[in-house]
Structures are given as C-alpha cells and as structure tokens.
Amino acid sequence: MKKSRLSKILIEGNPNLLKKLSAQVEETHTVKVNRSPSTGLVMMKTRDSVSRQPFYMGEVLITDCTVEVHGSQGLGVLMGEEPDRAYLLAVVDAAFNAKLPIAGLWLHELEEEERNIAKLKQKEMSKLARSQVSFDTMEDYNDKS
C-alpha cells in the first residue's frame, strides 16, 4: 500500500482504527520516540485554477512526530494541533517501514475503512447535491423564452 493512500485512510478514517493498529505494535515491539510530537508551520502549495501555475497559498499549522520501531523510522504528520494522532501515525508508519508481519494483516481492515470513507463522502455529496442552486443569467433566461 502506498504511503499517500495509507495516510489518507488513517487520517480521514475512524480514529479508533489508528489507536488499535498502534496498540498492536506497542504490545509486541519497543517504540523509541526520536522526536516527540511538535507543532510547526509549513507553506501550503496549491495550483492556480486558471493559469495552472503552482503558488504558495499560505501557512498551515501541522503536528509531526518521528519514532523508530525494529530499526525503521516512522513519520506522522497531519494538519492541526494533534500530538497524540501524530504519534500514532508515526508508530503505524514505522511498522509498515519495518515490514512487520502484523502490518501485512492490516491490509483488509485498511481497505474496509477506505470503503467506509468513500461511502461517507458519497453520502455527504448527495446531501450537498440536493441543496445545489442553479443560477441563470438574463441572457440564458431570454434564450429560453
């Protein structure tokens, strides 16, 4: 599983899943905190919708943490001030980096959580679609009559 996909599932998904996976690693392996959770600011890069040129929109508050499990580094980074979640993300990332056997068993749960996230987003989009307003210009109005 790619890191971007794993991070998206763990950050957007049920927080209890992240806690559960991290606890499984902590029960069986020693977790060494290399850099405790700390906050910082990073520049948010985005793309202009018209010119398609990249630009920096502004600063975003993040929390990051680095740990080591079984000789492999793990990094947890997320927007906002959430030191506990940054630590949990780092532990799960380190488990995947170390290729721990337990990490291979998580794939089914992670894919199920990804499906749950997609269902929730679809439900939210359908709610938004019901409230969508259609705007006509005077030109469009005159063309219809």
Side-chain angles (χ1 to χ4, degrees), residues 6 14 19 22 32 36 42 51-52 56 61-62 66 68 74 80 83 85 91 97 99 104 106-108 118-120 130:
L6 175 65
N14 187 339
K19 289 177 187 173
S22 178
K32 177 185 170 195
S36 60
V42 296
S51 68
R52 310 300 300 160
Y56 292 98
L61 178 70
I62 62 151
T66 307
E68 187 175 320
R85 284 184 67 200
V91 171
N97 291 341
K99 295 179 178 35
W106 297 338
L107 293 177
H108 177 71
K119 286 178 191 173
L120 288 172
R130 288 189 297 220

Side-chain angles (χ1 to χ4, degrees), residues 86-100:
Y87 169 78
L88 298 174
L89 283 167
V91 171
V92 173
D93 184 51
F96 270 95
N97 291 341
K99 295 179 178 35
L100 297 181

Side-chain angles (χ1 to χ4, degrees), residues 126-141:
S126 67
K127 283 182 183 179
L128 290 172
R130 288 189 297 220
S131 66
Q132 188 174 359
V133 178
S134 175
F135 291 97
D136 291 331
T137 62
M138 284 300 281
E139 195 173 285
D140 293 337
Y141 180 77

Side-chain angles (χ1 to χ4, degrees), residues 4-145:
S4 58
R5 183 177 171 203
L6 175 65
S7 295
K8 183 177 173 124
I9 295 168
L10 294 174
I11 291 171
E12 293 181 12
N14 187 339
N16 292 328
L17 176 63
L18 178 59
K19 289 177 187 173
K20 176 185 162 189
L21 301 180
S22 178
Q24 289 176 2
V25 174
E26 290 175 322
E27 287 171 5
T28 57
H29 293 83
T30 303
V31 177
K32 177 185 170 195
V33 178
N34 291 343
R35 195 169 88 225
S36 60
S38 60
T39 56
L41 295 172
V42 296
M43 294 297 290
M44 182 175 192
K45 190 175 184 177
T46 189
R47 190 171 296 276
D48 185 287
S49 60
V50 177
S51 68
R52 310 300 300 160
Q53 295 297 313
F55 72 97
Y56 292 98
M57 193 158 90
E59 293 177 328
V60 176
L61 178 70
I62 62 151
T63 306
D64 66 330
C65 178
T66 307
V67 301
E68 187 175 320
V69 173
H70 205 262
S72 294
Q73 296 279 324
L75 175 65
V77 180
L78 68 155
M79 286 195 312
E81 190 171 1
E82 298 188 64
D84 294 337
R85 284 184 67 200
Y87 169 78
L88 298 174
L89 283 167
V91 171
V92 173
D93 184 51
F96 270 95
N97 291 341
K99 295 179 178 35
L100 297 181
I102 197 166
L105 302 174
W106 297 338
L107 293 177
H108 177 71
E109 284 182 89
L110 291 167
E111 289 169 350
E112 182 64 32
E113 187 62 28
E114 187 176 41
R115 286 189 287 276
N116 291 340
I117 293 167
K119 286 178 191 173
L120 288 172
K121 283 191 177 189
Q122 182 62 36
K123 190 175 181 181
E124 186 176 333
M125 292 304 290
S126 67
K127 283 182 183 179
L128 290 172
R130 288 189 297 220
S131 66
Q132 188 174 359
V133 178
S134 175
F135 291 97
D136 291 331
T137 62
M138 284 300 281
E139 195 173 285
D140 293 337
Y141 180 77
N142 291 333
D143 288 344
K144 290 179 184 177
S145 47

